[in-house]
Amino acid sequence: MPSDKNDLVQRVAICKPDDTVRGFLFKSVYTLVEQRVGSSGTDRMLQQLRINKMPVDFFSYPAADFLRMLYTAADVLEPHYASVEDAIRACGGATVTGFFKSYVGNTLMRLVGIGDPKRVFASVDTIYSTLVSYGKRTSEELGDKRLRLHYRGDMQPIAFHEGALREALVVLRGNGTAKGTAVALNYGQYVLEWT
């Protein structure tokens, strides 16, 4: 079943002209499609998006364009996952993998302290501000190995952030879960747990 285009239209509509994401997020999703589907998938995706050249890693690009790419990628990837939501989660996970492999991400994580999810997620707004120009993110402790993140002013779908947060926990601890709840179209809460 294809991605929900009505949801995409609503998310694009709340994007402001100055809402941007870094180019490497585009590249991370592109790379995932290339690895899972091959050039036929990337060609289909780029043709639908009318993109001639891939964004530069740390340049900023419109968040609305990233949303369009994300939903197109989910449609291309869907046959390789259990659902469109799982394909979107995989895209979120791919962006985290790309971030940790980047020079900026690697440096930032060494400063914040890799291995300690509470310390890392206490800095979630700082980390995200290197990736996107919009939104506010806060962390709330719920116990020794459990916390809740609040993403306000963020138009990315819940499944995307679930995938990103799960991948971050895998990198930080080797395991963990992230379950998101939509409070509004641009406000999600995520409960993270790890062992």
Side-chain angles (χ1 to χ4, degrees):
M1 184 163 87
S3 61
D4 184 346
K5 299 307 183 280
N6 185 48
D7 184 63
L8 171 60
V9 167
Q10 290 177 42
R11 291 179 185 284
V12 167
I14 63 173
C15 291
K16 297 182 206 89
D18 58 344
D19 290 342
T20 60
V21 303
R22 298 291 184 179
F24 94 87
L25 296 177
F26 287 84
K27 278 188 168 178
S28 298
V29 171
Y30 178 90
T31 300
L32 175 65
V33 171
E34 187 174 50
Q35 290 170 345
R36 294 301 304 250
V37 183
S39 63
S40 65
T42 54
D43 290 348
R44 179 178 153 208
M45 185 175 65
L46 295 179
Q47 185 178 38
Q48 286 181 11
L49 294 169
R50 296 182 186 103
I51 295 176
N52 297 327
K53 132 176 125 167
M54 192 52 49
V56 177
D57 280 1
F58 282 95
F59 285 19
S60 294
Y61 299 91
D65 288 350
F66 181 72
L67 281 165
R68 289 183 190 98
M69 182 180 195
L70 177 63
Y71 279 68
T72 302
D75 290 340
V76 172
L77 289 166
E78 182 194 11
H80 301 273
Y81 292 92
S83 67
V84 167
E85 288 77 21
D86 283 341
I88 291 172
R89 283 184 194 95
C91 290
T95 63
V96 169
T97 302
F99 177 71
F100 281 118
K101 288 181 179 177
S102 75
Y103 175 77
V104 171
N106 199 327
T107 302
L108 186 59
M109 294 314 296
R110 275 189 264 129
L111 291 172
V112 170
I114 200 159
D116 181 359
K118 281 191 179 177
R119 185 170 173 196
V120 170
F121 289 115
S123 301
V124 69
D125 200 52
T126 301
I127 294 168
Y128 265 86
S129 70
T130 66
L131 308 173
V132 301
S133 67
Y134 54 82
K136 178 77 176 152
R137 290 142 199 95
T138 57
S139 175
E140 166 190 4
E141 286 193 34
L142 300 175
D144 184 39
K145 295 180 179 179
R146 191 168 186 256
L147 55 86
R148 179 181 294 120
L149 299 176
H150 299 268
Y151 284 25
R152 293 177 176 88
D154 191 315
M155 74 293 292
Q156 301 300 331
I158 296 292
F160 177 81
H161 287 305
E162 284 178 338
L165 293 167
R166 288 176 188 172
E167 182 64 18
L169 285 170
V170 167
V171 170
L172 295 169
R173 298 294 294 183
N175 65 47
T177 62
K179 178 67 178 142
T181 303
V183 178
L185 191 62
N186 64 348
Y187 176 19
Q189 294 181 355
Y190 303 88
V191 174
L192 281 62
E193 298 181 84
W194 62 90
T195 56

PDB file of all heavy atoms in Angstrom, residues 16-53:
ATOM      1  N   LYS A  16       7.629  25.883   6.947  1.00  0.00           N
ATOM      2  CA  LYS A  16       7.892  27.292   6.646  1.00  0.00           C
ATOM      3  C   LYS A  16       9.035  27.353   5.622  1.00  0.00           C
ATOM      4  O   LYS A  16       9.840  26.420   5.551  1.00  0.00           O
ATOM      5  CB  LYS A  16       8.282  28.028   7.918  1.00  0.00           C
ATOM      6  CG  LYS A  16       7.187  28.062   8.971  1.00  0.00           C
ATOM      7  CD  LYS A  16       7.661  28.861  10.192  1.00  0.00           C
ATOM      8  CE  LYS A  16       6.960  28.424  11.434  1.00  0.00           C
ATOM      9  NZ  LYS A  16       7.604  27.326  12.149  1.00  0.00           N
ATOM     10  N   PRO A  17       9.128  28.443   4.874  1.00  0.00           N
ATOM     11  CA  PRO A  17      10.204  28.548   3.874  1.00  0.00           C
ATOM     12  C   PRO A  17      11.614  28.399   4.455  1.00  0.00           C
ATOM     13  O   PRO A  17      12.511  27.927   3.776  1.00  0.00           O
ATOM     14  CB  PRO A  17      10.013  29.951   3.283  1.00  0.00           C
ATOM     15  CG  PRO A  17       8.577  30.278   3.530  1.00  0.00           C
ATOM     16  CD  PRO A  17       8.223  29.593   4.834  1.00  0.00           C
ATOM     17  N   ASP A  18      11.794  28.773   5.724  1.00  0.00           N
ATOM     18  CA  ASP A  18      13.133  28.669   6.318  1.00  0.00           C
ATOM     19  C   ASP A  18      13.349  27.367   7.093  1.00  0.00           C
ATOM     20  O   ASP A  18      14.363  27.217   7.773  1.00  0.00           O
ATOM     21  CB  ASP A  18      13.430  29.882   7.203  1.00  0.00           C
ATOM     22  CG  ASP A  18      12.414  30.067   8.325  1.00  0.00           C
ATOM     23  OD1 ASP A  18      11.328  29.465   8.272  1.00  0.00           O
ATOM     24  OD2 ASP A  18      12.720  30.823   9.264  1.00  0.00           O
ATOM     25  N   ASP A  19      12.439  26.405   6.995  1.00  0.00           N
ATOM     26  CA  ASP A  19      12.626  25.081   7.597  1.00  0.00           C
ATOM     27  C   ASP A  19      13.516  24.256   6.674  1.00  0.00           C
ATOM     28  O   ASP A  19      13.148  23.968   5.531  1.00  0.00           O
ATOM     29  CB  ASP A  19      11.286  24.369   7.790  1.00  0.00           C
ATOM     30  CG  ASP A  19      10.427  24.993   8.877  1.00  0.00           C
ATOM     31  OD1 ASP A  19      10.961  25.756   9.713  1.00  0.00           O
ATOM     32  OD2 ASP A  19       9.215  24.720   8.896  1.00  0.00           O
ATOM     33  N   THR A  20      14.699  23.888   7.172  1.00  0.00           N
ATOM     34  CA  THR A  20      15.661  23.184   6.325  1.00  0.00           C
ATOM     35  C   THR A  20      16.228  21.945   7.019  1.00  0.00           C
ATOM     36  O   THR A  20      16.175  21.820   8.241  1.00  0.00           O
ATOM     37  CB  THR A  20      16.840  24.108   5.943  1.00  0.00           C
ATOM     38  OG1 THR A  20      17.502  24.538   7.134  1.00  0.00           O
ATOM     39  CG2 THR A  20      16.364  25.306   5.147  1.00  0.00           C
ATOM     40  N   VAL A  21      16.766  21.051   6.184  1.00  0.00           N
ATOM     41  CA  VAL A  21      17.501  19.873   6.654  1.00  0.00           C
ATOM     42  C   VAL A  21      18.824  19.830   5.899  1.00  0.00           C
ATOM     43  O   VAL A  21      18.953  20.388   4.816  1.00  0.00           O
ATOM     44  CB  VAL A  21      16.708  18.558   6.433  1.00  0.00           C
ATOM     45  CG1 VAL A  21      15.357  18.600   7.114  1.00  0.00           C
ATOM     46  CG2 VAL A  21      16.538  18.240   4.960  1.00  0.00           C
ATOM     47  N   ARG A  22      19.787  19.153   6.475  1.00  0.00           N
ATOM     48  CA  ARG A  22      21.100  19.029   5.856  1.00  0.00           C
ATOM     49  C   ARG A  22      21.061  18.010   4.711  1.00  0.00           C
ATOM     50  O   ARG A  22      20.330  17.023   4.746  1.00  0.00           O
ATOM     51  CB  ARG A  22      22.150  18.589   6.875  1.00  0.00           C
ATOM     52  CG  ARG A  22      22.352  19.558   8.001  1.00  0.00           C
ATOM     53  CD  ARG A  22      23.012  20.813   7.528  1.00  0.00           C
ATOM     54  NE  ARG A  22      23.270  21.673   8.675  1.00  0.00           N
ATOM     55  CZ  ARG A  22      23.848  22.832   8.594  1.00  0.00           C
ATOM     56  NH1 ARG A  22      24.241  23.295   7.430  1.00  0.00           N
ATOM     57  NH2 ARG A  22      24.043  23.545   9.675  1.00  0.00           N
ATOM     58  N   GLY A  23      21.912  18.244   3.734  1.00  0.00           N
ATOM     59  CA  GLY A  23      21.957  17.400   2.544  1.00  0.00           C
ATOM     60  C   GLY A  23      22.268  15.949   2.825  1.00  0.00           C
ATOM     61  O   GLY A  23      21.810  15.065   2.101  1.00  0.00           O
ATOM     62  N   PHE A  24      23.011  15.675   3.881  1.00  0.00           N
ATOM     63  CA  PHE A  24      23.374  14.283   4.113  1.00  0.00           C
ATOM     64  C   PHE A  24      22.165  13.431   4.508  1.00  0.00           C
ATOM     65  O   PHE A  24      22.182  12.213   4.346  1.00  0.00           O
ATOM     66  CB  PHE A  24      24.539  14.147   5.098  1.00  0.00           C
ATOM     67  CG  PHE A  24      24.151  13.948   6.517  1.00  0.00           C
ATOM     68  CD1 PHE A  24      23.905  12.689   7.020  1.00  0.00           C
ATOM     69  CD2 PHE A  24      24.040  15.032   7.365  1.00  0.00           C
ATOM     70  CE1 PHE A  24      23.545  12.514   8.335  1.00  0.00           C
ATOM     71  CE2 PHE A  24      23.687  14.863   8.674  1.00  0.00           C
ATOM     72  CZ  PHE A  24      23.430  13.598   9.161  1.00  0.00           C
ATOM     73  N   LEU A  25      21.077  14.063   4.992  1.00  0.00           N
ATOM     74  CA  LEU A  25      19.852  13.305   5.254  1.00  0.00           C
ATOM     75  C   LEU A  25      19.273  12.789   3.941  1.00  0.00           C
ATOM     76  O   LEU A  25      18.828  11.640   3.863  1.00  0.00           O
ATOM     77  CB  LEU A  25      18.828  14.155   6.003  1.00  0.00           C
ATOM     78  CG  LEU A  25      19.238  14.615   7.407  1.00  0.00           C
ATOM     79  CD1 LEU A  25      18.161  15.515   8.005  1.00  0.00           C
ATOM     80  CD2 LEU A  25      19.513  13.450   8.317  1.00  0.00           C
ATOM     81  N   PHE A  26      19.289  13.622   2.907  1.00  0.00           N
ATOM     82  CA  PHE A  26      18.857  13.179   1.580  1.00  0.00           C
ATOM     83  C   PHE A  26      19.742  12.014   1.116  1.00  0.00           C
ATOM     84  O   PHE A  26      19.239  11.009   0.628  1.00  0.00           O
ATOM     85  CB  PHE A  26      18.986  14.315   0.559  1.00  0.00           C
ATOM     86  CG  PHE A  26      17.962  15.410   0.674  1.00  0.00           C
ATOM     87  CD1 PHE A  26      18.135  16.450   1.573  1.00  0.00           C
ATOM     88  CD2 PHE A  26      16.843  15.421  -0.147  1.00  0.00           C
ATOM     89  CE1 PHE A  26      17.214  17.488   1.652  1.00  0.00           C
ATOM     90  CE2 PHE A  26      15.916  16.448  -0.071  1.00  0.00           C
ATOM     91  CZ  PHE A  26      16.094  17.484   0.834  1.00  0.00           C
ATOM     92  N   LYS A  27      21.045  12.204   1.263  1.00  0.00           N
ATOM     93  CA  LYS A  27      21.995  11.176   0.802  1.00  0.00           C
ATOM     94  C   LYS A  27      21.816   9.864   1.549  1.00  0.00           C
ATOM     95  O   LYS A  27      21.956   8.794   0.968  1.00  0.00           O
ATOM     96  CB  LYS A  27      23.433  11.668   0.967  1.00  0.00           C
ATOM     97  CG  LYS A  27      23.893  12.557  -0.138  1.00  0.00           C
ATOM     98  CD  LYS A  27      25.388  12.817   0.018  1.00  0.00           C
ATOM     99  CE  LYS A  27      25.947  13.459  -1.215  1.00  0.00           C
ATOM    100  NZ  LYS A  27      27.380  13.748  -1.062  1.00  0.00           N
ATOM    101  N   SER A  28      21.517   9.935   2.834  1.00  0.00           N
ATOM    102  CA  SER A  28      21.325   8.718   3.629  1.00  0.00           C
ATOM    103  C   SER A  28      20.132   7.921   3.132  1.00  0.00           C
ATOM    104  O   SER A  28      20.194   6.689   3.008  1.00  0.00           O
ATOM    105  CB  SER A  28      21.144   9.069   5.108  1.00  0.00           C
ATOM    106  OG  SER A  28      22.295   9.694   5.611  1.00  0.00           O
ATOM    107  N   VAL A  29      19.040   8.611   2.830  1.00  0.00           N
ATOM    108  CA  VAL A  29      17.847   7.936   2.313  1.00  0.00           C
ATOM    109  C   VAL A  29      18.133   7.394   0.916  1.00  0.00           C
ATOM    110  O   VAL A  29      17.768   6.254   0.594  1.00  0.00           O
ATOM    111  CB  VAL A  29      16.626   8.885   2.327  1.00  0.00           C
ATOM    112  CG1 VAL A  29      15.441   8.278   1.604  1.00  0.00           C
ATOM    113  CG2 VAL A  29      16.253   9.234   3.769  1.00  0.00           C
ATOM    114  N   TYR A  30      18.793   8.175   0.099  1.00  0.00           N
ATOM    115  CA  TYR A  30      19.169   7.740  -1.251  1.00  0.00           C
ATOM    116  C   TYR A  30      20.012   6.457  -1.177  1.00  0.00           C
ATOM    117  O   TYR A  30      19.771   5.497  -1.916  1.00  0.00           O
ATOM    118  CB  TYR A  30      19.946   8.845  -1.963  1.00  0.00           C
ATOM    119  CG  TYR A  30      20.428   8.475  -3.342  1.00  0.00           C
ATOM    120  CD1 TYR A  30      19.638   8.722  -4.456  1.00  0.00           C
ATOM    121  CD2 TYR A  30      21.673   7.884  -3.530  1.00  0.00           C
ATOM    122  CE1 TYR A  30      20.078   8.381  -5.727  1.00  0.00           C
ATOM    123  CE2 TYR A  30      22.116   7.537  -4.794  1.00  0.00           C
ATOM    124  CZ  TYR A  30      21.315   7.788  -5.885  1.00  0.00           C
ATOM    125  OH  TYR A  30      21.751   7.434  -7.144  1.00  0.00           O
ATOM    126  N   THR A  31      20.999   6.453  -0.286  1.00  0.00           N
ATOM    127  CA  THR A  31      21.877   5.286  -0.137  1.00  0.00           C
ATOM    128  C   THR A  31      21.095   4.054   0.292  1.00  0.00           C
ATOM    129  O   THR A  31      21.330   2.947  -0.211  1.00  0.00           O
ATOM    130  CB  THR A  31      23.015   5.593   0.854  1.00  0.00           C
ATOM    131  OG1 THR A  31      23.767   6.701   0.348  1.00  0.00           O
ATOM    132  CG2 THR A  31      23.925   4.401   1.068  1.00  0.00           C
ATOM    133  N   LEU A  32      20.144   4.221   1.210  1.00  0.00           N
ATOM    134  CA  LEU A  32      19.313   3.094   1.630  1.00  0.00           C
ATOM    135  C   LEU A  32      18.534   2.532   0.442  1.00  0.00           C
ATOM    136  O   LEU A  32      18.496   1.313   0.245  1.00  0.00           O
ATOM    137  CB  LEU A  32      18.346   3.527   2.744  1.00  0.00           C
ATOM    138  CG  LEU A  32      17.333   2.460   3.185  1.00  0.00           C
ATOM    139  CD1 LEU A  32      18.041   1.269   3.833  1.00  0.00           C
ATOM    140  CD2 LEU A  32      16.306   3.072   4.123  1.00  0.00           C
ATOM    141  N   VAL A  33      17.923   3.391  -0.356  1.00  0.00           N
ATOM    142  CA  VAL A  33      17.173   2.935  -1.532  1.00  0.00           C
ATOM    143  C   VAL A  33      18.114   2.221  -2.501  1.00  0.00           C
ATOM    144  O   VAL A  33      17.797   1.149  -3.035  1.00  0.00           O
ATOM    145  CB  VAL A  33      16.441   4.105  -2.221  1.00  0.00           C
ATOM    146  CG1 VAL A  33      15.844   3.679  -3.561  1.00  0.00           C
ATOM    147  CG2 VAL A  33      15.346   4.655  -1.307  1.00  0.00           C
ATOM    148  N   GLU A  34      19.290   2.784  -2.695  1.00  0.00           N
ATOM    149  CA  GLU A  34      20.269   2.175  -3.605  1.00  0.00           C
ATOM    150  C   GLU A  34      20.679   0.782  -3.119  1.00  0.00           C
ATOM    151  O   GLU A  34      20.774  -0.161  -3.908  1.00  0.00           O
ATOM    152  CB  GLU A  34      21.492   3.090  -3.705  1.00  0.00           C
ATOM    153  CG  GLU A  34      22.505   2.657  -4.731  1.00  0.00           C
ATOM    154  CD  GLU A  34      23.607   3.686  -4.873  1.00  0.00           C
ATOM    155  OE1 GLU A  34      24.174   4.115  -3.832  1.00  0.00           O
ATOM    156  OE2 GLU A  34      23.900   4.068  -6.010  1.00  0.00           O
ATOM    157  N   GLN A  35      20.907   0.638  -1.813  1.00  0.00           N
ATOM    158  CA  GLN A  35      21.322  -0.652  -1.259  1.00  0.00           C
ATOM    159  C   GLN A  35      20.205  -1.691  -1.310  1.00  0.00           C
ATOM    160  O   GLN A  35      20.458  -2.857  -1.597  1.00  0.00           O
ATOM    161  CB  GLN A  35      21.773  -0.480   0.193  1.00  0.00           C
ATOM    162  CG  GLN A  35      23.070   0.256   0.326  1.00  0.00           C
ATOM    163  CD  GLN A  35      23.385   0.628   1.778  1.00  0.00           C
ATOM    164  OE1 GLN A  35      22.530   0.592   2.650  1.00  0.00           O
ATOM    165  NE2 GLN A  35      24.632   1.011   2.015  1.00  0.00           N
ATOM    166  N   ARG A  36      18.970  -1.276  -1.024  1.00  0.00           N
ATOM    167  CA  ARG A  36      17.857  -2.226  -0.953  1.00  0.00           C
ATOM    168  C   ARG A  36      17.214  -2.527  -2.300  1.00  0.00           C
ATOM    169  O   ARG A  36      16.744  -3.636  -2.524  1.00  0.00           O
ATOM    170  CB  ARG A  36      16.778  -1.711   0.007  1.00  0.00           C
ATOM    171  CG  ARG A  36      17.174  -1.618   1.467  1.00  0.00           C
ATOM    172  CD  ARG A  36      17.602  -2.954   2.068  1.00  0.00           C
ATOM    173  NE  ARG A  36      16.614  -4.001   1.956  1.00  0.00           N
ATOM    174  CZ  ARG A  36      15.922  -4.520   2.961  1.00  0.00           C
ATOM    175  NH1 ARG A  36      16.109  -4.076   4.165  1.00  0.00           N
ATOM    176  NH2 ARG A  36      15.062  -5.486   2.751  1.00  0.00           N
ATOM    177  N   VAL A  37      17.159  -1.535  -3.189  1.00  0.00           N
ATOM    178  CA  VAL A  37      16.414  -1.693  -4.440  1.00  0.00           C
ATOM    179  C   VAL A  37      17.329  -1.635  -5.661  1.00  0.00           C
ATOM    180  O   VAL A  37      17.046  -2.246  -6.687  1.00  0.00           O
ATOM    181  CB  VAL A  37      15.301  -0.621  -4.554  1.00  0.00           C
ATOM    182  CG1 VAL A  37      14.471  -0.811  -5.807  1.00  0.00           C
ATOM    183  CG2 VAL A  37      14.402  -0.633  -3.324  1.00  0.00           C
ATOM    184  N   GLY A  38      18.415  -0.880  -5.564  1.00  0.00           N
ATOM    185  CA  GLY A  38      19.317  -0.733  -6.697  1.00  0.00           C
ATOM    186  C   GLY A  38      19.024   0.518  -7.497  1.00  0.00           C
ATOM    187  O   GLY A  38      18.205   1.350  -7.116  1.00  0.00           O
ATOM    188  N   SER A  39      19.687   0.630  -8.634  1.00  0.00           N
ATOM    189  CA  SER A  39      19.567   1.847  -9.442  1.00  0.00           C
ATOM    190  C   SER A  39      18.160   2.053  -9.985  1.00  0.00           C
ATOM    191  O   SER A  39      17.741   3.190 -10.200  1.00  0.00           O
ATOM    192  CB  SER A  39      20.591   1.845 -10.572  1.00  0.00           C
ATOM    193  OG  SER A  39      20.347   0.759 -11.445  1.00  0.00           O
ATOM    194  N   SER A  40      17.409   0.988 -10.207  1.00  0.00           N
ATOM    195  CA  SER A  40      16.026   1.171 -10.673  1.00  0.00           C
ATOM    196  C   SER A  40      15.210   1.927  -9.623  1.00  0.00           C
ATOM    197  O   SER A  40      14.378   2.769  -9.968  1.00  0.00           O
ATOM    198  CB  SER A  40      15.370  -0.168 -10.995  1.00  0.00           C
ATOM    199  OG  SER A  40      15.226  -0.956  -9.818  1.00  0.00           O
ATOM    200  N   GLY A  41      15.470   1.665  -8.354  1.00  0.00           N
ATOM    201  CA  GLY A  41      14.769   2.366  -7.274  1.00  0.00           C
ATOM    202  C   GLY A  41      15.199   3.811  -7.144  1.00  0.00           C
ATOM    203  O   GLY A  41      14.360   4.708  -6.996  1.00  0.00           O
ATOM    204  N   THR A  42      16.504   4.054  -7.225  1.00  0.00           N
ATOM    205  CA  THR A  42      16.972   5.435  -7.099  1.00  0.00           C
ATOM    206  C   THR A  42      16.551   6.256  -8.321  1.00  0.00           C
ATOM    207  O   THR A  42      16.170   7.415  -8.187  1.00  0.00           O
ATOM    208  CB  THR A  42      18.506   5.511  -6.911  1.00  0.00           C
ATOM    209  OG1 THR A  42      19.140   4.801  -7.978  1.00  0.00           O
ATOM    210  CG2 THR A  42      18.916   4.938  -5.569  1.00  0.00           C
ATOM    211  N   ASP A  43      16.600   5.644  -9.504  1.00  0.00           N
ATOM    212  CA  ASP A  43      16.162   6.355 -10.711  1.00  0.00           C
ATOM    213  C   ASP A  43      14.685   6.722 -10.609  1.00  0.00           C
ATOM    214  O   ASP A  43      14.296   7.849 -10.927  1.00  0.00           O
ATOM    215  CB  ASP A  43      16.396   5.502 -11.966  1.00  0.00           C
ATOM    216  CG  ASP A  43      17.865   5.339 -12.300  1.00  0.00           C
ATOM    217  OD1 ASP A  43      18.704   6.062 -11.721  1.00  0.00           O
ATOM    218  OD2 ASP A  43      18.176   4.464 -13.134  1.00  0.00           O
ATOM    219  N   ARG A  44      13.868   5.779 -10.161  1.00  0.00           N
ATOM    220  CA  ARG A  44      12.424   6.037 -10.005  1.00  0.00           C
ATOM    221  C   ARG A  44      12.186   7.165  -9.006  1.00  0.00           C
ATOM    222  O   ARG A  44      11.395   8.071  -9.232  1.00  0.00           O
ATOM    223  CB  ARG A  44      11.718   4.761  -9.562  1.00  0.00           C
ATOM    224  CG  ARG A  44      10.236   4.915  -9.352  1.00  0.00           C
ATOM    225  CD  ARG A  44       9.610   3.593  -8.960  1.00  0.00           C
ATOM    226  NE  ARG A  44       8.424   3.852  -8.181  1.00  0.00           N
ATOM    227  CZ  ARG A  44       7.932   3.049  -7.267  1.00  0.00           C
ATOM    228  NH1 ARG A  44       8.524   1.896  -7.004  1.00  0.00           N
ATOM    229  NH2 ARG A  44       6.852   3.364  -6.600  1.00  0.00           N
ATOM    230  N   MET A  45      12.903   7.102  -7.900  1.00  0.00           N
ATOM    231  CA  MET A  45      12.736   8.101  -6.855  1.00  0.00           C
ATOM    232  C   MET A  45      13.147   9.488  -7.356  1.00  0.00           C
ATOM    233  O   MET A  45      12.404  10.459  -7.190  1.00  0.00           O
ATOM    234  CB  MET A  45      13.561   7.707  -5.627  1.00  0.00           C
ATOM    235  CG  MET A  45      13.385   8.599  -4.432  1.00  0.00           C
ATOM    236  SD  MET A  45      14.282   7.976  -2.991  1.00  0.00           S
ATOM    237  CE  MET A  45      15.961   8.105  -3.523  1.00  0.00           C
ATOM    238  N   LEU A  46      14.305   9.604  -7.973  1.00  0.00           N
ATOM    239  CA  LEU A  46      14.783  10.897  -8.444  1.00  0.00           C
ATOM    240  C   LEU A  46      13.910  11.447  -9.572  1.00  0.00           C
ATOM    241  O   LEU A  46      13.672  12.650  -9.653  1.00  0.00           O
ATOM    242  CB  LEU A  46      16.240  10.795  -8.887  1.00  0.00           C
ATOM    243  CG  LEU A  46      17.238  10.466  -7.781  1.00  0.00           C
ATOM    244  CD1 LEU A  46      18.647  10.365  -8.337  1.00  0.00           C
ATOM    245  CD2 LEU A  46      17.176  11.482  -6.657  1.00  0.00           C
ATOM    246  N   GLN A  47      13.409  10.557 -10.428  1.00  0.00           N
ATOM    247  CA  GLN A  47      12.538  10.988 -11.511  1.00  0.00           C
ATOM    248  C   GLN A  47      11.233  11.576 -10.957  1.00  0.00           C
ATOM    249  O   GLN A  47      10.780  12.624 -11.406  1.00  0.00           O
ATOM    250  CB  GLN A  47      12.236   9.809 -12.435  1.00  0.00           C
ATOM    251  CG  GLN A  47      11.430  10.179 -13.663  1.00  0.00           C
ATOM    252  CD  GLN A  47      11.214   8.978 -14.553  1.00  0.00           C
ATOM    253  OE1 GLN A  47      11.007   7.862 -14.078  1.00  0.00           O
ATOM    254  NE2 GLN A  47      11.267   9.213 -15.856  1.00  0.00           N
ATOM    255  N   GLN A  48      10.662  10.921  -9.962  1.00  0.00           N
ATOM    256  CA  GLN A  48       9.428  11.416  -9.364  1.00  0.00           C
ATOM    257  C   GLN A  48       9.657  12.749  -8.665  1.00  0.00           C
ATOM    258  O   GLN A  48       8.771  13.605  -8.637  1.00  0.00           O
ATOM    259  CB  GLN A  48       8.853  10.400  -8.377  1.00  0.00           C
ATOM    260  CG  GLN A  48       8.221   9.210  -9.049  1.00  0.00           C
ATOM    261  CD  GLN A  48       7.646   8.227  -8.047  1.00  0.00           C
ATOM    262  OE1 GLN A  48       7.524   8.509  -6.860  1.00  0.00           O
ATOM    263  NE2 GLN A  48       7.293   7.047  -8.524  1.00  0.00           N
ATOM    264  N   LEU A  49      10.828  12.933  -8.101  1.00  0.00           N
ATOM    265  CA  LEU A  49      11.131  14.164  -7.370  1.00  0.00           C
ATOM    266  C   LEU A  49      11.688  15.262  -8.270  1.00  0.00           C
ATOM    267  O   LEU A  49      11.837  16.401  -7.829  1.00  0.00           O
ATOM    268  CB  LEU A  49      12.133  13.869  -6.252  1.00  0.00           C
ATOM    269  CG  LEU A  49      11.602  12.959  -5.152  1.00  0.00           C
ATOM    270  CD1 LEU A  49      12.738  12.523  -4.242  1.00  0.00           C
ATOM    271  CD2 LEU A  49      10.522  13.659  -4.350  1.00  0.00           C
ATOM    272  N   ARG A  50      12.028  14.908  -9.493  1.00  0.00           N
ATOM    273  CA  ARG A  50      12.621  15.859 -10.443  1.00  0.00           C
ATOM    274  C   ARG A  50      13.910  16.473  -9.881  1.00  0.00           C
ATOM    275  O   ARG A  50      14.121  17.679  -9.930  1.00  0.00           O
ATOM    276  CB  ARG A  50      11.614  16.936 -10.837  1.00  0.00           C
ATOM    277  CG  ARG A  50      10.420  16.385 -11.570  1.00  0.00           C
ATOM    278  CD  ARG A  50       9.472  17.490 -11.986  1.00  0.00           C
ATOM    279  NE  ARG A  50       8.278  16.925 -12.565  1.00  0.00           N
ATOM    280  CZ  ARG A  50       7.118  16.838 -11.916  1.00  0.00           C
ATOM    281  NH1 ARG A  50       6.992  17.273 -10.690  1.00  0.00           N
ATOM    282  NH2 ARG A  50       6.059  16.317 -12.511  1.00  0.00           N
ATOM    283  N   ILE A  51      14.756  15.610  -9.315  1.00  0.00           N
ATOM    284  CA  ILE A  51      16.061  16.046  -8.787  1.00  0.00           C
ATOM    285  C   ILE A  51      17.132  15.632  -9.791  1.00  0.00           C
ATOM    286  O   ILE A  51      17.187  14.468 -10.204  1.00  0.00           O
ATOM    287  CB  ILE A  51      16.356  15.392  -7.411  1.00  0.00           C
ATOM    288  CG1 ILE A  51      15.358  15.877  -6.365  1.00  0.00           C
ATOM    289  CG2 ILE A  51      17.778  15.689  -6.973  1.00  0.00           C
ATOM    290  CD1 ILE A  51      15.516  15.201  -5.014  1.00  0.00           C
ATOM    291  N   ASN A  52      17.961  16.556 -10.175  1.00  0.00           N
ATOM    292  CA  ASN A  52      19.035  16.255 -11.121  1.00  0.00           C
ATOM    293  C   ASN A  52      20.338  15.907 -10.432  1.00  0.00           C
ATOM    294  O   ASN A  52      21.137  15.151 -10.942  1.00  0.00           O
ATOM    295  CB  ASN A  52      19.271  17.442 -12.067  1.00  0.00           C
ATOM    296  CG  ASN A  52      18.057  17.712 -12.915  1.00  0.00           C
ATOM    297  OD1 ASN A  52      17.335  16.788 -13.266  1.00  0.00           O
ATOM    298  ND2 ASN A  52      17.824  18.961 -13.240  1.00  0.00           N
ATOM    299  N   LYS A  53      20.552  16.504  -9.252  1.00  0.00           N
ATOM    300  CA  LYS A  53      21.826  16.276  -8.583  1.00  0.00           C
ATOM    301  C   LYS A  53      21.580  16.155  -7.079  1.00  0.00           C
ATOM    302  O   LYS A  53      20.724  16.821  -6.513  1.00  0.00           O
ATOM    303  CB  LYS A  53      22.749  17.404  -9.010  1.00  0.00           C
ATOM    304  CG  LYS A  53      23.504  18.133  -8.036  1.00  0.00           C
ATOM    305  CD  LYS A  53      24.411  19.143  -8.723  1.00  0.00           C
ATOM    306  CE  LYS A  53      24.122  20.491  -8.145  1.00  0.00           C
ATOM    307  NZ  LYS A  53      25.073  21.507  -8.448  1.00  0.00           N
TER     308      LYS A  53
END
